[in-house]
Amino acid sequence: MVPLCSIEKVMQNGDIAGDWITIGIISEKSNPKTGRGNCSYIVLHLSDLKGFDLRLILLGDCYEKHWKELVGSIVAILNPKILPKRNNSMAITLDHSHKFIKIGMSVDMKFCKFTGNGKQCRKVVDMYVKNHLENVSNLYVIKI
């Protein structure tokens, strides 16, 4: 098992040798899109609820079977293809539905509801920890 935040650390030559799995919570998803060759795909963001997230692009039969998956779903991803970094952001891709396993729904993932300077924070919050809201509030108070 490779934690989301450790994928880049354990990579060698742009890949991870052997079979490996990572687990994350879907924190965001795009609308379905059409790419080259008229192929449909969707971009999901996976979070570890500790501030790390990466993009997961579903293609082929993986897209066909899992594009309706809900935000908040806990998923296991087996042997994804690791894409080269773009804009300092990491992404993985899957094109086989059997490599995408839904484990359940997160009861701890929520979105920050703090509003400051006219903008709402949409950061994923681990409600089990709960200290994110206190930290944001303290930062806002200090700036005033």
Side-chain angles (χ1 to χ4, degrees):
M1 208 301 262
V2 180
L4 288 176
C5 64
S6 297
I7 292 173
E8 190 172 13
K9 295 173 194 163
V10 299
M11 281 179 14
Q12 294 178 353
N13 299 320
D15 200 3
I16 297 176
D19 288 332
W20 64 283
I21 192 167
T22 192
I23 297 174
I25 300 171
I26 299 173
S27 61
E28 185 180 332
K29 64 187 266 188
S30 72
N31 289 321
K33 301 178 181 193
T34 303
R36 285 184 250 151
N38 216 19
C39 296
S40 297
Y41 69 97
I42 193 164
V43 179
L44 306 176
H45 287 254
L46 297 182
S47 173
D48 64 0
L49 293 187
K50 295 177 182 153
F52 186 87
D53 74 83
L54 63 78
R55 290 174 295 131
L56 168 63
I57 303 166
L58 301 184
L59 307 163
D61 79 320
C62 192
Y63 165 82
E64 294 297 329
K65 187 168 182 183
H66 299 292
W67 73 273
K68 292 183 181 180
E69 201 57 64
L70 299 173
V71 168
S73 296
I74 304 167
V75 296
I77 307 300
L78 176 65
N79 297 329
K81 178 180 177 187
I82 303 170
L83 300 176
K85 271 186 142 180
R86 199 168 125 196
N87 298 328
N88 208 23
S89 177
M90 188 176 210
I92 56 178
T93 185
L94 278 182
D95 58 2
H96 298 292
S97 62
H98 67 277
K99 293 182 175 186
F100 182 105
I101 303 161
K102 181 175 180 179
I103 297 171
M105 294 297 291
S106 173
V107 295
D108 294 323
M109 188 193 94
K110 302 289 184 224
F111 291 99
C112 176
K113 295 187 183 194
F114 181 78
T115 303
N117 299 329
K119 295 182 182 176
Q120 183 169 351
C121 176
R122 292 290 295 157
K123 182 177 172 90
V124 173
V125 177
D126 182 349
M127 291 305 290
Y128 184 76
V129 176
K130 292 186 182 180
N131 67 3
H132 170 73
L133 291 173
E134 293 172 12
N135 290 341
V136 171
S137 296
N138 289 339
L139 287 173
Y140 188 74
V141 170
I142 291 169
K143 288 181 182 180
I144 295 176

